[in-house]
Amino acid sequence: MKIIQNRRVQLALAVVLIVFINLYDLTSQYAITIINDEFGYVGIAAQMAGYDFTDTLSTSYYYSYGLSLILALLFKIGLTGAAFFRAVIVLNVLFLVGSFLLTYYFAKELFGTKWDVLIALVVNLYSSNILQSKLSWTETLLYFLTWVLLFYVYRLNRTYELKYLAGAMVVAVYMYMVHQRALAAMIAAVFMMFYIWATKHKSRKEFFKFAL
């Protein structure tokens, strides 16, 4: 029981559980299911990797290309067909694991109870997350990036270090590159910068020095 009560052991077991629940049926996954949406990302990635997906893209929706930058690397290393699709699922699960660890960080920071690992696990085993992990589109990546953005904003507000401001802005811009609906994240990042200035600075000179 003492081993199980160890926080690192709990985190490791939670990660294993997340991976198992999302990957236990990996060998039964073969291809894209939501054709117009998923091909919008996969097709752009294929074009980036040198394949001709012009006809496919002509019937697919365009949202943005941030995820395609990552998927293009899978094409570049020679993955196609079922192997490519399964690699995307594994990538999604890695995003969920990262989200879980960040959720745990916030649970520990904000609550600090013996249930922190369980709270983070329950949040990230939400049924929608499990479903989204089986699809080659942006939802799991955006979910992860949202946690990353929250981390930078939280740390910026706590420590007021420039690296956290830069991190928040980079993540916000990349979120927009991943999906155009993430425009709100960029706007929120700008408001965040002004809010922090208003609460921590008293002069315009200090604000512009901070912003630059």
Side-chain angles (χ1 to χ4, degrees), residues 189-199 207 210:
V190 173
F191 276 108
M192 170 270 300
M193 185 173 67
F194 277 96
Y195 171 77
I196 292 176
W197 165 68
T199 56
F207 167 69
F210 170 67

Side-chain angles (χ1 to χ4, degrees), residues 8-209:
R8 291 185 179 181
V9 173
Q10 292 176 356
L11 288 170
L13 291 174
V15 169
V16 169
L17 185 60
I18 291 173
V19 171
F20 173 76
I21 289 176
N22 287 281
L23 293 184
Y24 79 92
D25 61 343
L26 182 65
T27 56
S28 65
Q29 305 295 327
Y30 292 96
I32 286 172
T33 53
I34 305 179
I35 296 176
N36 288 341
D37 283 327
E38 291 184 77
F39 265 126
Y41 304 107
V42 175
I44 294 173
Q47 291 282 119
M48 291 177 175
Y51 295 94
D52 185 5
F53 268 55
T54 305
D55 291 339
T56 301
L57 288 174
S58 67
T59 61
S60 301
Y61 300 123
Y62 174 78
Y63 299 102
S64 201
Y65 60 90
L67 175 62
S68 301
L69 292 172
I70 299 175
L71 300 185
L73 298 177
L74 301 180
F75 280 116
K76 283 290 188 179
I77 63 176
L79 296 181
T80 57
F84 172 86
F85 186 61
R86 290 169 185 169
V88 173
I89 294 176
V90 171
L91 190 62
N92 284 337
V93 174
L94 292 178
F95 291 143
L96 287 180
V97 169
S99 298
F100 160 73
L101 294 175
L102 286 169
T103 308
Y104 166 72
Y105 170 81
F106 279 107
K108 183 178 67 172
E109 283 283 308
L110 301 177
F111 304 110
T113 72
K114 63 180 180 179
W115 305 108
D116 293 340
V117 175
L118 181 60
I119 291 171
L121 182 63
V122 170
V123 168
N124 286 278
L125 285 181
Y126 178 54
S127 57
S128 177
N129 289 343
I130 298 174
L131 173 63
Q132 303 293 351
S133 72
K134 303 294 192 295
L135 303 171
S136 54
W137 60 13
T138 59
E139 309 308 309
T140 308
L141 175 57
L142 284 174
Y143 180 71
F144 171 65
L145 291 174
T146 299
W147 281 109
V148 175
L149 182 60
L150 287 173
F151 169 79
Y152 279 123
V153 171
Y154 178 77
R155 293 303 302 169
L156 178 64
N157 190 55
R158 290 291 299 272
T159 66
Y160 203 55
E161 294 183 33
L162 183 60
K163 63 182 179 181
Y164 295 120
L165 172 67
M169 297 306 293
V170 168
V171 172
V173 171
Y174 180 63
M175 288 179 72
Y176 181 70
M177 291 170 60
V178 171
H179 201 297
Q180 294 178 28
R181 72 167 181 256
L183 175 63
M186 289 200 303
I187 296 174
V190 173
F191 276 108
M192 170 270 300
M193 185 173 67
F194 277 96
Y195 171 77
I196 292 176
W197 165 68
T199 56
K200 296 185 180 292
H201 280 318
K202 295 182 179 180
S203 70
R204 294 181 181 179
K205 181 179 179 180
E206 287 181 334
F207 167 69
F208 285 115
K209 180 179 178 181

